[in-house]
Amino acid sequence: MNRIRFDSDGTSCVGQFFPAAGDDDRAPVVVLGHGFGGTVDSGLVPFAQRLSSAGFAALAFDYRYFGQSDGQPRQRISVTEQVADFRAACTAAARQPGVDPRRVVVWGVSLAGGHVFEVAATTPGVAAAVALTPLVSGPAAAVAALPHHRPATLLRSTVTGWRSALAQRAGRPPATIPLVGRPGELATLTADGYYEAYLAMAGPTWRNEVDAQVGLQLGGYRPAAKHAAAIRCPMLVQIADFDRGAPPQAAAKAAFAARAEVRHYPCDHFDVFSGGDWFDHVVEHQIAFLARHLTAPTATVTG
């Protein structure tokens, strides 16, 4: 594993590059984006390691404002900037030693699974795409989250979001709220068991806070509705059928629009990560999908 830096619109981002195992000196490379408020060391490394062992190079990266990447204010989630960082990571991955620049794969989990729909549809030369438990509709996710929030905490969260937005327009630091909490607490994710599941995989760079205005931004987040039909590369969408964070019905609809291969798992959102019951199944299906579609070089990623 090698730590690399790459530029994204003037901001320095950091990624962990895992060379492909084996003798292939022109291996496909998988670019892994983390989910809502995540970092490379909070769930991505086990996926990257398994892909590397199977003969695929892998680059897992932190978005600006998160983990080891630069950018201020910290913990700010900007969908537009994260998509730009994803594209910059693809360009950086294609330039790594031992990589075939004509076989770049975009891979995302949760919120990044939604980003994958846009990146795959709008970035020249993407050879394949993998969306794991993707969040493809902010409105659907908001409706699904309602049973897990008290009315008072929802009101506090909304008010804090508007306060954060106004503060940043005035040049002041953003207001933050916890990313994950226990049921009834003020946090973005509060479904029963989510606090324990997230902290179990949290690495040293992860912080349990996000800019409170993210809720306002995600209200209009619908990447699949905007981009799924334009995807031309092979795509795998992996759906947790009992997902309380990323609604499975929305993911299934998005997968159909993208003409994607679909895999279903009888589990919840965090059960697909390392330590969960379905991690091995998920990774095995990813490896089989990529081996099937990346046997020959395709186009070149440009940036």
Side-chain angles (χ1 to χ4, degrees), residues 49-74:
Q49 290 173 329
R50 287 285 295 271
L51 290 165
S52 171
S53 296
F56 303 95
L59 175 63
F61 72 97
D62 285 326
Y63 300 113
R64 69 185 82 181
Y65 313 127
F66 284 90
Q68 298 186 68
S69 292
D70 293 347
Q72 295 291 336
R74 304 304 293 173

Side-chain angles (χ1 to χ4, degrees), residues 32-36 63 78-80 82-84 86-87 106-123 129-138 141 218 220-229 231 235-239 243 245-247 250-251 254-255 258 269:
L32 296 92
H34 57 68
F36 189 82
Y63 300 113
S78 164
V79 169
T80 300
Q82 288 191 353
V83 169
F86 219 133
R87 292 195 182 101
V106 291
W107 182 110
V109 62
S110 192
L111 183 61
H115 296 347
V116 158
F117 281 83
E118 180 172 354
V119 177
T122 62
T123 305
V130 176
L132 174 60
T133 60
L135 196 165
V136 297
S137 170
L218 290 180
Y221 182 67
R222 300 182 64 197
K226 296 176 181 178
H227 300 289
I231 294 174
M235 185 173 194
L236 171 65
V237 177
Q238 297 175 290
I239 300 172
D243 200 322
H269 195 74

Side-chain angles (χ1 to χ4, degrees), residues 79-100:
V79 169
T80 300
E81 291 174 322
Q82 288 191 353
V83 169
D85 295 346
F86 219 133
R87 292 195 182 101
C90 289
T91 300
R95 294 172 177 166
Q96 298 308 302
V99 161
D100 185 348

